[in-house]
Amino acid sequence: MKLYSLSVLYKGEHKVVLLKAAYDVSSFSFFQRSSVQEFMTFTSQLIVERSAKGSRASVKEQEYLCHVYVRNDNLAGVVIADSEYPSRVAFTLLEKVLDEFSKHVDRIEWPVGSPTSIHYTALDDYLSRYQNPREADPMTKVQAELDETKIILHNTMESLLERGERLDDLVSKSEGLGTQSKAFYKTARKQNSCCAIM
């Protein structure tokens, strides 16, 4: 699971403006990083441009998922992640970032802003903190713990069933042994009855 990009944009009437972005392109070749970053910026702008106000969507492109959230005030956020990254965590991240961004950056700056003119530094921190969705999102952490508990319970039930099957085998063997013991006792009694000890 990996996050590659976290962007805050403004959806204007005629064009989409990138306000601030953070990227993690360390998994790409050094010579490809700038091209990948440009492509992520272009994709983010295109997705916001084609999304309606007040909407959330996830767009799949090859092994990547682009999660977009466009608020009613035209502020938008895009997360680009791999396909394994949980959508719920991505949208939680977008909502948190857009709320915080709207509190720290004046609304007047949104239509004319740019990554160099907007002073908001929390995106890199969010991008690194949310790389591991289990640690960043309490619900995902609880879900992971529940999944682990299910696995443990499943393994315990399997071992109990195996143990139960072994116990059943022992019981049936002991029942057979009990029958043999009774036969042996009767035979021994008969043989010992001919001789009386005085």
Side-chain angles (χ1 to χ4, degrees):
M1 288 185 261
K2 183 144 180 76
L3 286 177
Y4 297 104
S5 165
L6 173 59
S7 308
V8 178
L9 306 100
Y10 176 76
K11 182 178 178 163
E13 285 186 38
H14 301 293
K15 75 174 196 167
V16 174
V17 179
L18 177 68
L19 298 176
K20 208 69 176 171
Y23 303 95
D24 182 356
V25 289
S26 59
S27 59
F28 296 96
S29 151
F30 178 77
F31 299 105
Q32 293 177 323
R33 290 179 183 171
S34 64
S35 299
V36 168
Q37 193 168 320
E38 284 177 27
F39 183 73
M40 287 182 191
T41 302
F42 171 77
T43 304
S44 298
Q45 289 175 318
L46 185 67
I47 291 171
V48 169
E49 184 181 307
R50 297 188 179 183
S51 298
K53 284 185 190 178
S55 68
R56 296 172 194 246
S58 294
V59 180
K60 186 168 175 57
E61 176 59 37
Q62 295 174 5
E63 69 267 14
Y64 305 104
L65 263 175
C66 304
H67 306 282
V68 61
Y69 174 36
V70 182
R71 297 189 340 177
N72 288 322
D73 60 1
N74 290 333
L75 192 63
V78 176
V79 165
I80 299 177
D82 63 9
S83 58
E84 294 176 6
Y85 199 87
S87 297
R88 193 184 59 69
V89 179
F91 286 116
T92 301
L93 170 61
L94 284 173
E95 196 166 329
K96 213 179 260 191
V97 165
L98 293 178
D99 285 345
E100 189 177 302
F101 185 88
S102 63
K103 288 176 188 167
H104 286 82
V105 178
D106 194 14
R107 184 178 236 158
I108 298 168
E109 295 181 50
W110 298 355
V112 293
S114 70
T116 53
S117 67
I118 300 290
H119 300 289
Y120 180 73
T121 56
L123 285 185
D124 288 314
D125 183 46
Y126 275 118
L127 189 66
S128 64
R129 194 173 349 138
Y130 273 79
Q131 285 298 337
N132 184 354
R134 284 185 181 183
E135 294 301 316
D137 184 52
M139 288 293 283
T140 305
K141 189 174 185 176
V142 168
Q143 184 63 47
E145 289 172 2
L146 282 173
D147 290 343
E148 288 173 14
T149 305
K150 276 189 216 173
I151 291 168
I152 291 168
L153 282 174
H154 183 70
N155 291 341
T156 304
M157 291 302 289
E158 281 182 357
S159 63
L160 280 174
L161 288 174
E162 286 175 15
R163 205 176 304 149
E165 288 171 6
R166 287 191 213 128
L167 285 174
D168 289 345
D169 291 344
L170 285 174
V171 168
S172 64
K173 286 177 184 176
S174 70
E175 287 173 357
L177 187 63
T179 308
Q180 289 175 347
S181 296
K182 287 178 187 173
F184 176 75
Y185 176 72
K186 287 179 184 176
T187 308
R189 209 162 163 212
K190 283 181 189 175
Q191 286 180 352
N192 288 337
S193 65
C194 69
C195 312
I197 300 177
M198 294 193 179

